[in-house]
Amino acid sequence: VRALTLEKNLQYQSNHPAPRAGEGECLVRVRMAGICSTDLQLVKGYMQFRGILGHEFVGLVESGSATWQGKRVVCEINCVCRRCDMCLSGLANHCRKRTVLGISGRDGCFADLVCVPESNLHEVPDALTDEQAVFVEPVAAAYQTLSQYPFTASTKATVVGSGRLGLLVAQVLSATGCKLTVIGRNAAKLSLAEKRGVQAVHVDELACRADHDVVVDCTGTPAGFDLATRLVRPRGSIVLKSTFGGVQGVNLAAVVVNEISVLGSRCGSFSDAINALVREAVEVRPMITQTVPFERAMEAMAAAGQAKHLKILLDMRK
Amino acid sequence: VRALTLEKNLQYQSNHPAPRAGEGECLVRVRMAGICSTDLQLVKGYMQFRGILGHEFVGLVESGSATWQGKRVVCEINCVCRRCDMCLSGLANHCRKRTVLGISGRDGCFADLVCVPESNLHEVPDALTDEQAVFVEPVAAAYQTLSQYPFTASTKATVVGSGRLGLLVAQVLSATGCKLTVIGRNAAKLSLAEKRGVQAVHVDELACRADHDVVVDCTGTPAGFDLATRLVRPRGSIVLKSTFGGVQGVNLAAVVVNEISVLGSRCGSFSDAINALVREAVEVRPMITQTVPFERAMEAMAAAGQAKHLKILLDMRK
């Protein structure tokens, strides 16, 4: 099969061995996959991952149990043991023995075929196109923010970062009716937020006052974190939505002095995400800046790091 | 008056101008004061503080309203406006216009006389010695931890750091009945925790497993924070009790991946602290490693940075 692998370097392979499904797993033929910032971090050495990259995708179940055969599916990325203390306490996404699709200990979806646990699958409703379905995983991650902070109509909230994840988080928060601002550097990306009714401010035009109840950092940079500490009110919260790739020069003095709560936030509910996409509470199509045939995956990975791009999709049907 | 001042350098002055009480303030004759790690940080440039150092003390009210005249008192360190949004929302310790005794915008207590708002005063019960009363401020800071995390008998908790603050936090947490360990480097300090019935472990003998519900960092160092991220379970909490003095090489990747809550924690309730000291729920006397006449304050400041010392008290009556 074709596959984009990360060994010492990133490599496009046209003849990678086909995966074999283990017990409880099935084989999914990938139709479309999305490139995420985490993929770019992995290439830089994050998690020391080796194998096939990719964790956002939609595909058709090719072999597995009769229940799933032929279904169009998306797939949760944490593959868990269901027996450890985390699994037994309802925190399966934090399973001690987990592998994570294309991120840790398990081949991902940048390939014609991917092997996944059946219990991780969600059927995609007909109302969603493949392009929309690819976004279920990152939209779920955006929804996780709501389970970690009680947003209400009186909440003054800011999203720092108008990239892929920032624009998804902004749409999810916007639906709560909270008083929301998105801060970014790129006019085109900020205008996408504005089209969804969210106030957008260029970082250079920001009047910084520490009066926000909650700031969601979607930059994953020390500068973004620093800005968040200057925007959030004393006793407010900062939600960290982006993976920090390595040791960072982060200053925690403000966190102590202002008694800020810093909340790490990772994967979220696929059901919430699918529902939101069906209701069009989250609109993802304007965020697709390129759809690239899989053969050009190397090119697409390079482009995904450029500021002008938002989501780049890999089309495996081509 | 005599005073220990920080301008470009730390300096002992035998003839500093006496302070004058403003409206609502009174003049307190300092009897005894304690040296805190924050004082050492301030000398290194934290907060760019200039003026008389010191914020832990007990004294006698020398002039002010009749209510307070002659009373033996301790004093909350945040001097607040009572009018800003923070004050009006019940978060006066985060007052936008606050000055902080010996830390920010206001002379502190390493002097014969100190000027403080009357509303910050608490009378010291006769049951407490001056030596104990000096600890009210740091014990209050330790109590703040309880208001930020719901410790119960089933909570698995760790205090990282067996210094001045760590040993106070350990005693406060111990009283909740939680399953508690203190981690440190200094055998003598760890044995003080053990004498109070708290399990103490040398950092080199630690079997590190991410299964603690809550870890309280009392080191204020990147290494302490890093250890905390490796001890806390996924979805657990890290309470930051020590001021981080500057930009630190802190890595937040684990906070995101394990969805940890990092909770900044600063000043706490003086009433809780006074009650705890009276009940002897917190025993501070074994923590006093030196009591030094005020004339030798410079020497005492140098000693306070040495690993062998815990609390050093300055005695102004000598």
Side-chain angles (χ1 to χ4, degrees), chain A residues 21-191:
Chain A
E23 204 183 311
E25 295 186 337
C26 63
L27 216 52
V28 178
R29 182 158 297 272
V30 180
R31 289 164 66 91
M32 227 168 213
I35 299 174
C36 163
S37 294
T38 303
D39 299 319
L40 306 180
Q41 293 284 347
L42 291 166
V43 173
K44 288 180 188 161
Y46 174 58
M47 301 289 287
Q48 291 90 46
F49 177 72
R50 293 288 175 267
I52 299 173
L53 273 183
H55 57 278
E56 303 176 358
F57 76 103
V58 58
L60 288 181
V61 177
E62 182 144 315
S63 73
S65 74
T67 323
W68 285 103
Q69 192 79 39
K71 292 257 163 71
R72 191 167 65 122
V73 294
V74 290
C75 180
E76 297 194 38
I77 69 174
N78 297 289
C79 306
V80 304
C81 76
R82 302 191 183 281
R83 279 187 298 270
C84 73
D85 57 337
M86 288 294 117
C87 285
L88 294 178
S89 65
L91 297 175
N93 278 352
H94 293 283
C95 170
R96 303 278 186 187
K97 296 184 174 168
R98 73 183 178 276
T99 57
V100 187
L101 201 66
I103 293 176
S104 173
R106 174 181 280 266
D107 279 334
C109 65
F110 291 168
D112 286 313
L113 288 170
V114 60
C115 207
V116 292
E118 278 192 17
S119 51
N120 283 36
L121 296 178
H122 292 256
E123 188 171 0
V124 179
D126 292 341
L128 295 187
T129 63
D130 283 344
E131 284 79 1
Q132 287 174 297
V134 171
F135 282 86
V136 169
E137 197 279 334
V139 170
Y143 265 92
Q144 180 70 351
T145 313
L146 297 191
S147 76
Q148 296 182 292
Y149 188 90
F151 291 86
T152 68
S154 64
T155 304
K156 188 166 177 180
T158 296
V159 173
V160 178
S162 58
R164 288 175 273 269
L165 192 54
L167 290 175
L168 294 178
V169 170
Q171 292 188 63
V172 166
L173 299 194
S174 173
T176 69
C178 69
K179 299 169 203 156
L180 183 63
T181 309
V182 177
I183 297 167
R185 295 195 173 282
N186 183 300
K189 294 176 184 178
L190 289 173
S191 81

Side-chain angles (χ1 to χ4, degrees), chain B residues 144-165:
Chain B
Q144 180 69 350
T145 313
L146 297 191
S147 77
Q148 297 181 292
Y149 188 91
F151 291 85
T152 68
S154 64
T155 304
K156 189 166 177 181
T158 296
V159 173
V160 178
S162 58
R164 288 174 273 271
L165 193 53

Side-chain angles (χ1 to χ4, degrees), chain A residues 94 96 210 248 250 257 262 266, chain B residues 96 210 248 250 257 262 266:
Chain A
H94 293 283
R96 303 278 186 187
Q248 305 280 354
V250 168
V257 170
V262 180
R266 195 163 45 94
Chain B
R96 302 278 187 189
Q248 304 280 357
V250 167
V257 170
V262 180
R266 193 163 44 94

